[in-house]
Amino acid sequence: MKDNNPKRSILEIAAFAIVGLIGIACWRFLNSIEYLLFPDRKKRLIMLIDLDKCIGCNVCSVACKSENGVALGQYRTQVLEAEEGVYPSVQRLFLPVMCNHCEEAPCLKACENKAIIKRSDGLVFIDKEKCKGLQLCIPACPYGAIYFNQDADPSADVRDYPSRAVGRSDKCDLCMGRIDVGLEPACSDTCPTDARVFGDMRDGNDPIRKKIHEEKLTGLLPGKGTGPQVYYRGGNRDLFKDTIVNPHN
Amino acid sequence: MDRREFIKISTIGSSVIFVQKENLAKAAVDEPVQTDGKIDRITLPSACWQCVSRCAIIGYVENNRLVKIDGNPNSRRNEGKVCAKGQAGINQVYHPDRVLYPLKRIGKRGSGKWEKISWEEALGLIVDGGEIEGTKVKGLRTLREEGTPEKFLFHYGRMVGSDYTIIRNYFLNAYGTASIGDHNSICVNAGGIARMLSGDVTPGFPFDEAKFILNFGNSLFEAGFDHVPFVRRVSGMIENGTRLVTFDVRLSNTAAKSNEWIPVKPGTDLAVILALCNVIVRNKLYNKEEFQMSANVTIEELENHLAHYTPQWAEEISGVPTHKIISIAKEFGSTKFSVAISQRGAFMHFNGVQTQRAIYLLNALSGNLGSQKVVMEFPQWDYPFPFPDGAKDRLDLFEGEKGKYVITAGNVSHQICHMIDIEKDKPELYMVYCHNPVYSNGDCNQNARIYGDTKKIPFLVAIDVALSETSELADLVLPDTTYLERWTCETGRAPKGIAEYYIRQPLTEPLGESRNFVDVACDLAARLDLDLGFSSSEEFVRETCNNTAVIKDAGGFDFMRKNGIYQDDNTGTSFVQRRKINIRSEELRKKGFSGIPGWMPIPGHDKLDDNELILTTFKTNVQTHSRTQNCKWLTELFHENPAWINTKTAERLGVENGSLIKINSPIGSLITKARVTQGIHPDAISISNHGGHWAWGFYASGQRSFVHDTNFESDIRNKWWKANGAHVNSIIPNTGDPIAGSMCWNDTVVRIEKV
């Protein structure tokens, strides 16, 4: 029998909605304290970049190229520079940029071949076996973090740079191979001022997690809704408002 | 996992898999891990040599190819960190223009025509002489038999650790030549001579406890001695509240990351320092007890001497506001404790020795150079082989023109070719090792002319990893190994004086027929019947490790091969320095200079017309002076070196950002892009070193030296940059400051033209 009472159905919908919203809120709350309830359950890998400490030395971008066999003309991470002020009150700022390993990664959604994978620890990587080189991910990334390996001589590359996947899209994978055995990514590992620190958002003892919470730190382009997992501290990021995109890729 | 505990690493395709091992010590010489179908990754500890800091590193090797370098985490000096140059060291090995076999010239000098010869023939030529393009040249044996061993001139750039000991103290002494050139006079010799004049005072203050650092012209966040270790210390101190104030003509990255940048007109740091001392003394903000105990002048003498060096006086000269000088002086004098540091920006000037001596005075006033301070001695290896007697015979080429300089310590090497040119003396065999004097000194065209002249230099031999602007002029080129393919004993000193012994060992087999020059020197010695006591660098390093007590106890050579480093809090011996500091130098006073550091204006700087600027040079953070432009990852980041010019000055001269300008100096001109910036003093124009190579291979100059049969660098076709920058040294004359004869890099007055 058809229920003709519209009032009741609206109430029902409203009730469902409220229950649903409460549910979502609870879920989010539980998620946020998950690391307290289940400390060993999952990692959430993050990077904190302290712009007050960064001296613009560029070792991160070179170390990355070396670790990952990145070709000339392309970068997985770079240090941007901006100058501000009038002589003699002038400042120069440095902004290291990289893949943000987003919670809601637009590249992942853009890929037709499901080649971009977000691991349970939050790391976003491109599966070179599945990638067909369609490059749909490249314009989808608001940070310009993805590039295409268009090298002409794959055989030479395989010999000299085994980790260079020719004909595929490529980007920072947080040095997956290194971190899977407990090493740090090449960039933070060699940073002379500890301006880049690698950490785990679910580890209650991780000092950078604490810092991010206490100082309410955010990532780049928070308005894009991507949920970047690379957090920034200090400096005057506004200077880079329109130029955070990796200029090389 | 602790970084200290890993060692073996394998890769599958693009993703890397690391296999944990007990510790670095055990695994370093283990067989590679076999993981079906995967590439093994082996790690070995060694030592960097991209710059003078020589940090401890570990190298990762896959399929006999060096793929990655990290800092050695066991080092308390660099604590597992290296800089961009250190990371790019791999590029030195796989540089596509490497010299891989001995080359003999078959055309005119510099024609680029070479014949590949055997090592046997090359060593024969050096020992017994022979013919180069129809001209007879004398070899080492003949020069020695004729009683003129000093006609063998050996000129090195970077020669460090036991390489220095073996070549200089064993080989050259055994041979009998003291005709040895270095690169000190284009580096920091003014600072060194100032220290000598001050009584060889070693600062013994607890630097890490300083709360205020006053920096004169030191780009410590970009380059310098102990670069990475010092960056870590200073940045950590800043984080903990230490204030860093930098005086520089330019907003260097160091100035930008300091708490305050105070721009200063080039060459006037001395005026500012004298005024700071004036304020400190007048306000009695000095450490009286320490000063009186350690200095050879009284406070009263000093007060009289400094009386007219007022902040107002210094403002007129330097452009630094009076109130700023007063507030900095008060902060310096009243902070417990404060320290003044410096580098080439302050002292590679006409008045550089006095500037550095004034910095000693500043430190003495704050009690840093006190007679009771504890100084840690540098750790010493115990070499097991007896040293030959020191050679005395020396050509008259190393002190500059007679009577021109007060005290040079034989270090006016940038004028060697000028001295040869004016026929003060003549070497028969001129050997250049790890140095590029044509490019690295001033007045490059002149240098190229002299090094290219077979009448002035009959036999020019270069030992190099690639063809530089100098080695391309040589008659014979010997292929050296890079620093990642060789053996050296090294020492360093970590904060708090902790002694660090470490070794450099080959991370990969030498490429082609390249040979470590230290081994070649052993061969040359054997052919000349000179008994050095050892026959290779590896033997020397092994025996030295096994002979040095603390290392021997730790496990000797085997321990060092596995660990790379030995350090012990107890190995550094400390002593209490009881020397007096010569604030007044009688030696300088007798020669007509101010005994207590006094103002010394730079000729031509006082009245600049509207179109005149003072040219200064600097180092950027991803290059060394001349040796790293062949490293693709570094030159990709830094290949253009535009001229920094202040926005207001540019407006006055009608120069736009990015436009080409012609810079005219008394000896020549160059054309480069203008970088119009607020971050430079209006009277200065500043161009970095590193640019404008016309040799040194494809990445540095855009030109291949030669193409090898096997290409071991597939990236070469990906080189995307076309510009190579301009070489600023070409328009800077090879001058010397009147006290030390050091190169005045930062004094040339230039005129600007729009192009």
Side-chain angles (χ1 to χ4, degrees), chain B residues 81-95:
Chain B
K81 311 290 184 179
V82 289
C83 69
K85 288 160 278 192
Q87 285 287 350
I90 293 163
N91 296 167
Q92 293 281 11
V93 180
Y94 304 108
H95 170 35

Side-chain angles (χ1 to χ4, degrees), chain B residues 392-625:
Chain B
K392 297 210 168 46
D393 298 323
R394 192 179 205 205
L395 296 174
D396 182 20
L397 296 171
F398 303 94
E399 309 268 355
E401 287 181 53
K402 214 174 181 109
K404 219 172 168 184
Y405 310 119
V406 178
I407 173 173
T408 65
N411 274 327
V412 192
S413 293
H414 66 292
Q415 293 182 3
I416 289 175
C417 72
H418 168 71
M419 297 292 280
I420 292 173
D421 196 33
I422 59 171
E423 295 176 355
K424 285 286 167 194
D425 233 331
K426 183 180 174 183
E428 284 294 330
L429 200 168
Y430 192 138
M431 194 179 269
V432 183
Y433 169 60
C434 195
H435 192 22
N436 186 0
V438 170
Y439 176 94
S440 301
N441 292 331
D443 203 351
C444 304
N445 294 337
Q446 184 84 336
N447 304 339
R449 176 180 66 75
I450 298 160
Y451 282 100
D453 189 338
T454 50
K455 292 201 180 66
K456 309 247 179 216
I457 301 171
F459 191 14
L460 182 62
V461 178
I463 298 118
D464 219 331
V465 293
L467 291 183
S468 73
E469 286 74 8
T470 307
S471 45
E472 72 171 9
L473 297 176
D475 303 310
L476 183 66
V477 182
L478 304 183
D480 197 15
T481 52
T482 66
Y483 70 93
L484 297 163
E485 305 159 309
R486 63 199 289 144
W487 291 99
T488 322
C489 286
E490 292 277 12
T491 51
R493 194 166 44 179
K496 298 191 174 68
I498 295 167
E500 187 167 293
Y501 295 84
Y502 60 118
I503 64 163
R504 177 175 297 111
Q505 63 178 326
L507 297 177
T508 171
E509 289 288 308
L511 223 59
E513 293 175 25
S514 65
R515 289 188 67 198
N516 179 354
F517 177 64
V518 178
D519 294 328
V520 174
C522 293
D523 268 17
L524 291 173
R527 281 165 195 251
L528 291 161
D529 299 320
L530 308 171
D531 184 15
L532 303 181
F534 52 90
S535 56
S536 74
S537 56
E538 181 178 357
E539 181 191 351
F540 187 88
V541 171
R542 183 179 65 234
E543 295 308 316
T544 301
C545 287
N546 290 337
N547 190 57
T548 304
V550 285
I551 309 296
K552 192 180 170 190
D553 292 347
F557 182 59
D558 291 340
F559 175 87
M560 292 304 280
R561 282 194 66 199
K562 291 167 187 168
N563 289 274
I565 289 179
Y566 175 81
Q567 54 196 352
D568 190 333
D569 300 17
N570 303 319
T571 52
T573 43
S574 60
F575 62 92
V576 178
Q577 182 171 266
R578 295 199 187 281
R579 287 199 192 104
K580 282 267 184 187
I581 308 159
N582 299 331
I583 297 300
R584 179 198 287 114
S585 163
E586 284 304 319
E587 197 168 356
L588 286 184
R589 198 185 56 79
K590 280 182 204 150
K591 295 277 181 183
F593 296 91
S594 182
I596 302 173
W599 174 237
M600 196 173 157
I602 297 174
H605 281 205
D606 47 344
K607 286 187 188 112
L608 298 172
D609 73 29
D610 266 2
N611 198 335
E612 281 179 334
L613 296 171
I614 300 164
L615 174 65
T616 70
T617 69
F618 63 94
K619 277 183 187 168
T620 184
N621 52 9
V622 297
Q623 300 277 11
T624 63
H625 187 113

Side-chain angles (χ1 to χ4, degrees), chain B residues 257-295:
Chain B
K257 299 306 286 192
S258 298
N259 300 80
E260 204 174 338
W261 168 52
I262 305 175
V264 57
K265 183 182 165 182
T268 66
D269 301 62
L270 177 56
V272 176
I273 299 161
L274 292 170
L276 291 170
C277 293
N278 169 300
V279 178
I280 290 167
V281 170
R282 265 195 298 133
N283 290 281
K284 303 200 184 329
L285 294 169
Y286 43 83
N287 184 333
K288 192 172 180 184
E289 195 188 346
E290 281 284 5
F291 186 81
Q292 285 182 338
M293 206 149 48
S294 57

Side-chain angles (χ1 to χ4, degrees), chain A residues 50-76 78-79 81 83-94 126 128 150-165 170 173 175-184 186-194 196 211 233 248, chain B residues 1-3 6 9 11 13-20 39 41 60 62-63 65 67-71 79-85 87-88 90-91 94 221-222 227-228 231-232 235 239 249-254 256-257 261 263-264 621-622 632-634 636-637 644 646 675-682 699 711-721:
Chain A
D50 191 332
L51 302 183
D52 289 341
K53 287 187 179 179
C54 175
I55 57 168
C57 76
N58 271 299
V59 66
C60 44
S61 51
V62 176
C64 168
K65 286 204 139 182
S66 182
E67 183 60 69
N68 300 296
V70 180
L72 292 178
Q74 287 154 341
Y75 285 96
R76 292 187 180 193
Q78 255 200 303
V79 184
E81 261 184 56
E83 241 169 61
E84 187 204 41
V86 176
Y87 179 87
S89 302
V90 199
Q91 54 170 333
R92 184 177 306 124
L93 291 128
F94 306 103
I126 298 175
K128 305 290 158 41
Q150 51 193 350
D151 217 318
D153 183 0
S155 61
D157 279 320
V158 168
R159 188 196 65 217
D160 294 348
Y161 303 98
S163 54
R164 189 181 294 173
D170 220 337
D173 60 3
C175 289
M176 199 154 66
R178 287 176 69 110
I179 63 175
D180 282 352
V181 292
L183 286 176
E184 280 193 38
C187 58
S188 60
D189 182 86
T190 196
C191 179
T193 59
D194 300 320
R196 278 177 184 250
K211 218 175 227 178
R233 182 181 184 277
H248 265 277
Chain B
M1 180 185 67
D2 189 335
R3 260 291 298 275
F6 77 91
I9 298 156
T11 62
S14 62
S15 62
V16 186
I17 292 184
F18 295 72
V19 181
Q20 188 171 348
I39 306 165
R41 215 181 221 207
Y60 302 84
E62 290 176 6
N63 283 341
R65 190 178 168 101
V67 294
K68 179 78 173 68
I69 290 168
D70 275 343
E79 298 179 305
K81 311 290 184 179
V82 289
C83 69
K85 288 160 278 192
Q87 285 287 350
I90 293 163
N91 296 167
Y94 304 108
F221 286 161
E222 284 124 310
H227 170 54
V228 166
V231 164
R232 284 183 71 66
S235 61
E239 207 186 348
V249 300
R250 182 183 68 90
L251 184 77
S252 61
N253 288 356
T254 307
K257 299 306 286 192
W261 168 52
V264 57
N621 52 9
V622 297
K632 59 177 183 178
W633 294 324
L634 302 178
E636 179 178 33
L637 285 165
W644 292 38
N646 182 283
R675 169 174 171 173
V676 176
T677 169
Q678 300 280 358
I680 186 169
H681 191 280
Y699 292 128
N711 177 21
F712 42 84
E713 170 51 293
S714 60
D715 237 0
I716 193 154
R717 63 186 177 280
N718 295 322
K719 176 178 179 279
W720 53 268
W721 61 95

